[in-house]
Amino acid sequence: MNYNRRISRRLHEEHDATLALWGRVEATLAARRHDPALLRSAAAALAHELDRHFRFEEAELFPRLAAAGEGDIGELLSEEHGTIRAAGERFIALVGEDPSKSEIRVLALELAERLVGHVQKEEMSLLPALEDLLDEETDDELDATYAAA
Amino acid sequence: MFASASRSRLLPMSLPFRYFGAAAAFQVAAWGMLLYSFRALVEFEGGLGPVFGALHLLTLGVLAMTAMGATLQLLPVATRQPVRALWAVRLLWWLYVPGIAAFAAAAAAYRPDLMGAGAMAVALALLIYGVLLFRNLLGARGMKVVVAHGWAALGCLVALAATGLALVARYEHGWALDHVALRNAHLVLATFGFMGLLAFGLSSFLLPMLAVAPAPASGVSKGILCASLAGISIGALGFVLPAALIGLAAAIAHVVSMERALRSRLRRPLGASFLLVRASWGCLIASLALALLMALGLAPARAALLFGVLLVPGWLLTFLLGVLARIVPFLASVHASGGARGTPLISALTPARLLAVHGGLHLLALSLLIAAAVSGRPTFAALGAAAGLAGAVAFSAFFAYVLLKVRTHELQPPHQPATA
């Protein structure tokens, strides 16, 4: 989909990067290969995503959706953030301790699936809603806020 | 009309799932009736009886039922308009289900005098659905391609209901109508029109979402829609040759545009359900190629039966089953989320082996029915109907599995995470 809003395009690009990275993680683990460097890279990217992408959506976008009568989307996505955050923080901690730990495989596969499902929902509902909701000025402000975060 | 009630675009789970559940049950009934009448299948040329009953259990009971459940849930996401009258969604289901059962049973029992009541209930339900669809499309924002397909499908639905009621009136009251012309128009409007256009429209939104791929270019999709509408209109008026040519071009363009979009997907594994989707596309193109041969007088014996097999169980049913295998667990996971238990994994709601068995049985049934139509041998029809029945039972088991998993997820203590 082509987005007119800068913030939608930025979030969409990050979704693409997330899917590419976690697609590699999923394929590697499904083939029972061990790649500690890839796991560390995934953990670092996830930490960044939880801290920046998720927080930005929760602080800046979901309240705007709720105010526009689209609160159900924000609620669902917020709840998924909670689930992904809990699993993600555990994954980051385990990879930081020892990337060869056996429980990392199941956790990483779960995270890969949750992240893909979450991106699907954001691409289907959040980004199209932002296209309607934001005017150019607000879009510029949000883009600047996100760039500075 | 139909004011109040819902602001959320996500319907309560019981609403779309009652349509999917009824479709699963009607699929079992349709294959069962076909198995019962397998000898009549290879000689079927239209007219009342069990094959007619099975055909309408499939078209009204499975295809249109699924289309209603899916559009009532998915269209609001695409149009950014909630369904505002949940009571109407419930009412139409309660009219539609007994209406189909009564209509198909009366037709199977050669009782045209009893078909009218079922047909009226079905027509009333379709009218309510049409009003819901109209209201949703009227306020639609975004996804213009899906909305345009929705309007086109709605137009076909109106014409389809009118031709259907005229056919019933002819059976019941002996009205002097051109039966063959009406029947052909009804067939074109139902399969390529209402169902086919909804399938094309929702494909441009759903399949890219499932594969995490870009949607086909909007100009291409609109061009395909215009060509499809031209083919459907010409076909409904009885001009088979130009309709088949235009329809074939539109179908090939649709499949090419979807395959192009899927090639750019970010999620590499498509899953087994896409095998069914691709098989359905093959059947769509084959059905139109066969229609072209029929118009040119080059078709083999029993071409009309083969055309029907390729079109209804081949294109439409196979496509819907492939899509349902993905969206039922997806929607269930969304509905099952809430509170401390979080959203269950879609893989935890997807019985992969059961779905593989279902897919295999369905494709086997389709192959055997095609063999029956080509050879005229009832044994193939019997084996095909038996495989279809087993596949339909497997699909119902899949549906029951998802419902059970959602229920147990709800019952899980909060500290226990959902696992695949």
Side-chain angles (χ1 to χ4, degrees):
Chain A
M1 185 168 178
N2 296 321
Y3 297 105
N4 295 317
R5 299 289 170 224
R6 291 164 67 177
I7 193 65
S8 302
R9 283 201 296 271
R10 199 182 274 271
L11 294 175
H12 174 69
E13 284 161 12
E14 293 194 2
H15 288 160
D16 283 0
T18 299
L19 290 171
L21 176 61
W22 284 89
R24 279 172 54 213
V25 171
E26 195 176 26
T28 302
L29 294 174
R32 304 246 165 214
R33 288 199 305 271
H34 184 56
D35 188 342
L38 178 62
L39 291 176
R40 283 195 195 97
S41 168
L46 185 61
H48 183 68
E49 187 172 351
L50 296 181
D51 187 47
R52 187 163 174 265
H53 189 113
F54 279 26
R55 271 184 200 223
F56 173 76
E57 288 177 349
E58 289 159 7
E60 300 289 345
L61 303 185
F62 297 164
R64 282 182 163 83
L65 287 179
E70 302 267 15
D72 53 332
I73 298 174
E75 277 171 33
L76 177 68
L77 296 175
S78 282
E79 189 194 297
E80 290 200 354
H81 280 185
T83 311
I84 292 169
R85 193 173 268 129
E89 283 167 355
R90 179 151 171 71
F91 172 77
I92 292 162
L94 284 171
V95 170
E97 287 165 18
D98 178 4
S100 61
K101 279 192 171 177
S102 59
E103 61 258 54
I104 288 177
R105 184 175 180 276
V106 174
L107 192 55
L109 286 171
E110 178 188 332
L111 269 170
E113 186 180 335
R114 288 201 186 280
L115 284 165
V116 169
H118 186 67
V119 167
Q120 282 174 328
K121 288 180 196 115
E122 290 204 346
E123 291 280 322
M124 183 174 67
S125 58
L126 173 65
L127 302 192
L130 291 179
E131 291 288 295
D132 273 356
L133 189 62
L134 304 179
D135 56 30
E136 208 161 315
E137 193 182 338
T138 317
D139 183 38
D140 287 345
E141 280 171 21
L142 285 171
D143 193 51
T145 307
Y146 194 47
Chain B
M1 192 176 185
F2 293 173
S4 82
S6 172
R7 268 185 65 77
S8 171
R9 287 188 275 153
L10 190 65
L11 298 179
M13 183 176 172
S14 69
L15 290 183
F17 276 70
R18 75 178 60 189
Y19 286 86
F20 300 150
F26 277 127
Q27 195 198 176
V28 173
W31 286 110
M33 197 177 276
L34 209 57
L35 182 59
Y36 168 76
S37 57
F38 69 93
R39 286 183 198 285
L41 175 68
V42 289
E43 293 155 8
F44 183 66
E45 290 177 347
L48 300 184
V51 179
F52 181 98
L55 176 68
H56 284 81
L57 283 174
L58 216 51
T59 52
L60 293 171
V62 184
L63 303 179
M65 182 77 75
T66 305
M68 286 181 183
T71 50
L72 288 168
Q73 178 56 90
L74 296 173
L75 212 55
V77 178
T79 61
R80 299 176 215 162
Q81 287 292 308
V83 174
R84 295 183 193 279
L86 300 185
W87 64 266
V89 178
R90 289 189 188 94
L91 174 66
L92 94 82
W93 188 88
W94 282 105
L95 280 168
Y96 196 54
V97 170
I100 293 165
F103 177 79
Y110 302 94
R111 293 291 304 272
D113 54 315
L114 299 177
M115 281 166 64
M120 286 309 295
V122 167
L124 191 55
L126 290 176
L127 175 69
I128 296 171
Y129 172 72
V131 173
L132 288 170
L133 187 58
F134 174 80
R135 282 180 55 94
N136 195 273
L137 293 170
L138 203 60
R141 289 172 289 155
M143 297 206 193
K144 292 191 171 94
V145 168
V146 181
V147 174
H149 280 82
W151 281 117
L154 181 58
C156 289
L157 178 65
V158 172
L160 155 71
T163 52
L165 284 175
L167 282 167
V168 171
R170 180 189 169 274
Y171 277 123
E172 200 168 334
H173 304 295
W175 287 7
L177 298 167
D178 184 344
H179 176 242
V180 175
L182 262 181
R183 189 189 63 188
N184 290 345
H186 184 71
L187 182 145
V188 170
L189 290 164
T191 53
F192 295 112
F194 174 60
M195 284 304 306
L197 292 176
L198 279 182
F200 273 24
L202 286 176
S203 289
S204 68
F205 150 68
L206 255 186
L207 299 188
M209 184 206 82
L210 293 171
V212 198
S218 140
V220 172
S221 297
K222 284 178 184 166
I224 294 169
L225 173 61
C226 289
S228 305
L229 269 177
I232 290 160
S233 308
I234 296 168
L237 293 171
F239 302 104
V240 180
L241 181 61
L245 265 174
I246 297 169
L248 184 59
I252 291 171
H254 172 72
V255 173
V256 169
S257 75
M258 292 309 305
E259 285 289 0
R260 271 194 188 153
L262 291 178
R263 263 209 303 274
S264 312
R265 68 187 182 274
L266 290 167
R267 184 158 173 74
R268 298 321 296 171
L270 281 175
S273 60
F274 272 77
L275 179 65
L276 290 182
V277 170
R278 285 181 162 140
S280 78
W281 287 340
C283 287
L284 168 65
I285 290 171
S287 72
L288 286 158
L290 183 61
L292 193 58
L293 290 178
M294 289 162 75
L296 293 168
L298 301 171
R302 289 175 297 280
L305 177 62
L306 181 58
F307 172 76
V309 169
L310 288 168
L311 184 58
V312 179
W315 150 230
L316 293 169
L317 181 62
T318 308
F319 176 80
L320 280 187
L321 293 173
V323 172
L324 276 176
R326 295 294 295 271
I327 63 165
V328 165
F330 178 82
L331 286 175
S333 107
V334 173
H335 282 291
S337 63
R341 283 170 288 276
T343 309
L345 288 167
I346 293 172
S347 62
L349 300 174
T350 306
R353 282 185 193 162
L354 186 56
L355 281 174
V357 168
H358 161 257
L361 285 167
H362 180 76
L363 292 177
L364 177 65
L366 195 56
S367 308
L368 287 164
L369 286 188
I370 290 170
V374 170
S375 68
R377 291 178 63 179
T379 314
F380 285 133
L383 290 171
L389 179 59
V393 170
F395 189 83
S396 297
F398 150 70
F399 186 75
Y401 174 94
V402 174
L403 292 183
L404 198 65
K405 281 296 224 178
V406 169
R407 184 163 170 73
T408 48
H409 178 73
E410 281 173 4
L411 296 173
Q412 270 181 352
H415 64 273
Q416 187 181 339
T419 52

